[in-house]
Amino acid sequence: MAETDEAAPPTDQLGTMDLTTDTSLNHAFSDRVLIRSIVGRPDGGAGLAGKRVRVGGWVKTGREQAKGTLAFLELNDGSCPANLQAVVDAGVAVPKKLVAMGTCVVVDGILKIPPPPPQKQGTKQRPQRIELGVEKVLHIGEVADPAKYPIPKRNPTLEYLRDHLHLRSRTNTIAAIARIRNALAFATHSFFQEHHFLYVHTPIITTSDCEGAGEMFQVTTLINEADKNPNPQAKQLGIPKKKDGKIDYTKDFFARQAYLTVSGQLQVETYACGLSNVYTFGPTFRAEHSHTSRHLAEFWMVEPEIAFAELNDAMNCAEAYVKYLCKWLLDKCLDDLQFMDDKTCVDRLRMVAETPFVRISYTEAVKILEESGQRFEHRVEWGIYLASEHERYLTEVQFQKPVIVYNYPKGIKAFYMRLNDDLETVAAMDVLVPKVGELIGGSQREERYEVIRERILEMGLPLEPYEWYLDLRRYGTVKHCGFGLGFERMILFATGIDNIRDVIPFPRYPGRADL
């Protein structure tokens, strides 16, 4: 206790200074003090003993003693993983439901050093450095029936919480993931702004299929209109048709077929070809009927584009960006990372932040896999897509560090990737990391008009929707490159969470689009 006593002068020396007037601690747009501002200090808040604060939060656990004359509340307001213990003495008027888990309270009180807890033999207890002696309860958001509160007190599974999306942010794990996600988003903008990239908002509704896979959600009002005015003489909806029986999309809202975007890349290239360095960061959509732990129907992508640059520049940017994200989390979110069930995540982030990435060609990667002696579920041969098990072998077993694989076969990559001189491979690259495998996919874009036109036709795609894209090659073409980082995959990598549905606030996947 000597350290605590030194950090916290006696109350009569400090008086009861009102901490809510200290702008370094209180919330800018509220009269409360963030719990993080108290318990997140190096001294655990002990140096604030004797100061008066107003705190708001939700009860994590609560208990009454001495026949209801004394209550102990563990409060959390979402600002950090730690709770603040609030002690309600006998003289404070409180309702009976104050201690129920999930109750929201706002209280005024004085911070004080708690008495040392009784030490149990054979256990190591971390003493609480500060607690709040409640003087007045200002607000109670009661839980109507504590017995029916949907979030169990002990260890609800993440799968269970997916059925209670509207309440799962109150749990420790989901709250920590939300703070980590927020930090990664902030770091993303910081990185690109520091390197003089311009943030561009690309459209969510598009008429172009960036990947050429056709797995896109269609946007149409034809069904809505037909449903409002059904043809009573026909069993089907009155959707307009052309003479050949196909749907007449000229009667649709956009007068053509439109979709939710699978990527903002093609559109952001138009700004790269006029403003040099740009990036987009937003939601993307894929109508892939997949139930794996790595797929969502709605997910977020970070997609920078660099003009006057080639593949090696994209690899350099991608490596610097990932290292920046890792360092940012270690600096800003260490408490949340240490809370994760995966106790290796801090070491993994530190390793990636401090280790140069290995760079090997696709051909070299295939040779390593073929000669590994490892029994893979998916056969290894030149020309295949590298499966997750192949990617993770390279980064977790073979090199034990991040790996960038480049120069992929043209047959397995998109039409816009620059054709190499061997006419068999394209200037593409993937960044592979432990735990998740592919984190980033990118390429140098094909800037030669005749070559990219031929590639579009070769892929069986119509030219008309890409005429504007070809214009970028017709009029002032420039070498450029870029990549896309799956934002949720970065969170998976950082936290060690197993299922991508648990790292996005409102997951959308086949059969589920709650809220």
Side-chain angles (χ1 to χ4, degrees):
M1 290 295 294
E3 179 184 350
T4 301
D5 292 340
E6 182 179 352
T11 303
D12 58 359
Q13 292 182 26
L14 287 170
T16 54
M17 177 180 176
D18 188 350
L19 197 59
T20 60
T21 62
D22 186 343
T23 57
S24 66
L25 293 169
N26 70 316
H27 192 281
F29 308 110
S30 175
D31 58 1
R32 68 186 174 94
V33 174
L34 295 174
I35 289 176
R36 180 179 183 176
S37 300
I38 301 171
V39 300
R41 291 162 52 102
D43 63 2
L48 300 175
K51 299 191 177 183
R52 178 173 284 109
V53 296
R54 176 170 295 168
V55 170
W58 287 266
V59 175
K60 290 292 185 177
T61 61
R63 66 185 190 276
E64 290 181 339
Q65 290 185 349
K67 297 182 180 179
T69 59
L70 190 66
F72 293 88
L73 308 175
E74 291 288 330
L75 299 181
N76 191 285
D77 62 0
S79 62
C80 67
N83 301 326
L84 175 66
Q85 179 169 275
V87 182
V88 185
D89 289 323
V92 180
V94 296
K96 293 181 179 179
K97 292 182 180 180
L98 179 68
V99 299
M101 179 181 175
T103 300
C104 181
V105 299
V106 179
V107 296
D108 282 345
I110 297 176
L111 294 170
K112 59 183 181 179
I113 303 296
Q119 292 292 327
K120 296 181 181 180
Q121 190 173 3
T123 64
K124 292 183 179 180
Q125 291 180 295
R126 185 180 179 183
Q128 194 150 13
R129 309 293 294 277
I130 199 73
E131 67 181 18
L132 180 67
V134 175
E135 296 181 317
K136 186 177 182 180
V137 178
L138 302 175
H139 168 77
I140 298 274
E142 294 185 353
V143 173
D145 185 349
K148 293 182 179 179
Y149 187 61
I151 307 299
K153 289 184 178 180
R154 294 188 180 276
N155 302 322
T157 66
L158 294 176
E159 185 176 9
Y160 170 84
L161 293 175
R162 286 177 220 144
D163 292 327
H164 300 84
L165 293 181
H166 58 300
L167 293 173
R168 71 175 184 168
S169 65
R170 299 187 187 185
T171 64
N172 295 331
T173 299
I174 297 299
I177 292 170
R179 288 187 291 268
I180 290 169
R181 185 184 178 101
N182 170 74
L184 287 170
F186 195 107
T188 290
H189 289 294
S190 296
F191 175 82
F192 289 111
Q193 293 296 325
E194 287 174 14
H195 288 87
H196 310 293
F197 282 71
L198 188 73
Y199 181 34
V200 176
H201 296 139
T202 51
I204 289 176
I205 298 174
T206 180
T207 57
S208 301
D209 181 358
C210 176
E211 300 299 328
E215 296 167 339
M216 304 178 75
F217 288 101
Q218 189 164 343
V219 177
T220 179
T221 59
L222 291 180
I223 295 175
N224 306 52
E225 296 301 319
D227 201 29
K228 290 178 185 176
N229 303 290
N231 182 353
Q233 307 300 322
K235 294 183 179 180
Q236 68 272 16
L237 295 174
I239 295 176
K241 301 287 184 67
K242 296 187 290 186
K243 292 181 179 180
D244 60 5
K246 294 181 179 180
I247 295 174
D248 185 0
Y249 286 105
T250 63
K251 304 294 193 296
D252 206 350
F253 187 90
F254 295 108
R256 62 191 301 180
Q257 284 181 279
Y259 309 90
L260 296 181
T261 185
V262 298
S263 169
Q265 177 206 312
L266 299 189
Q267 287 83 1
V268 86
E269 279 187 57
T270 67
Y271 273 67
C273 293
L275 298 171
S276 297
N277 297 341
V278 297
Y279 72 105
T280 185
F281 179 15
T284 53
F285 308 84
R286 187 70 60 86
E288 183 178 358
H289 205 81
S290 174
H291 289 273
T292 75
S293 61
R294 293 290 184 270
H295 289 87
L296 289 167
E298 176 182 319
F299 52 98
W300 286 63
M301 291 288 291
V302 179
E303 298 174 292
E305 201 72 24
I306 315 169
F308 308 99
E310 301 182 351
L311 182 64
N312 194 57
D313 301 301
M315 291 192 282
N316 291 339
C317 182
E319 180 171 346
Y321 172 46
V322 173
K323 287 177 179 292
Y324 188 96
L325 293 181
C326 294
K327 290 176 183 176
W328 188 281
L329 288 183
L330 291 168
D331 290 342
K332 310 289 186 182
C333 295
L334 188 58
D335 52 354
D336 283 313
L337 294 169
Q338 291 172 333
F339 178 80
M340 292 291 115
D341 286 340
D342 183 352
K343 301 307 179 186
T344 66
C345 65
V346 172
D347 290 338
R348 190 167 59 245
L349 286 167
R350 189 169 287 120
M351 181 274 290
V352 172
E354 298 172 354
T355 305
F357 292 10
V358 173
R359 300 187 184 187
I360 58 173
S361 70
Y362 171 89
T363 301
E364 292 172 308
V366 168
K367 184 177 180 181
I368 289 170
L369 294 170
E370 288 176 330
E371 296 177 353
S372 67
Q374 186 85 1
R375 295 187 64 182
F376 295 109
E377 182 180 345
H378 298 85
R379 183 181 176 182
V380 178
E381 61 181 355
W382 200 93
I384 65 162
Y385 291 95
L386 295 183
S388 179
E389 60 174 337
H390 304 143
E391 295 168 342
R392 294 187 63 177
Y393 176 85
L394 291 170
T395 188
E396 294 173 13
V397 180
Q398 178 68 27
F399 294 106
Q400 298 181 11
K401 61 181 67 174
V403 178
I404 302 179
V405 179
Y406 60 91
N407 287 351
Y408 281 79
K410 68 175 184 178
I412 61 172
K413 289 296 183 178
F415 70 89
Y416 52 75
M417 298 185 178
R418 194 179 200 276
L419 189 64
N420 287 326
D421 292 341
D422 61 14
L423 304 182
E424 295 294 329
T425 62
V426 289
M429 65 91 181
D430 289 338
V431 178
L432 315 180
V433 294
K435 183 67 181 178
V436 300
E438 182 189 340
L439 178 64
I440 284 176
S443 70
Q444 181 176 338
R445 317 311 188 188
E446 182 58 76
E447 86 283 6
R448 297 166 295 185
Y449 171 77
E450 292 296 341
V451 177
I452 195 169
R453 185 179 185 280
E454 184 61 30
R455 286 284 287 151
I456 291 173
L457 295 174
E458 186 179 300
M459 299 287 283
L461 298 172
L463 285 174
E464 189 275 331
Y466 300 101
E467 284 297 336
W468 63 270
Y469 192 67
L470 291 172
D471 275 353
L472 300 179
R473 280 73 182 168
R474 289 188 183 102
Y475 309 123
T477 189
V478 61
K479 285 187 176 181
H480 59 290
C481 61
F483 60 82
L485 173 138
F487 195 60
E488 284 73 29
R489 287 200 174 191
M490 181 63 205
I491 304 170
L492 287 179
F493 166 71
T495 61
I497 295 295
D498 290 324
N499 199 308
I500 200 168
R501 297 171 185 178
D502 301 317
V503 298
I504 189 169
F506 305 101
R508 272 79 176 100
Y509 49 95
R512 298 296 292 267
D514 299 341
L515 279 64

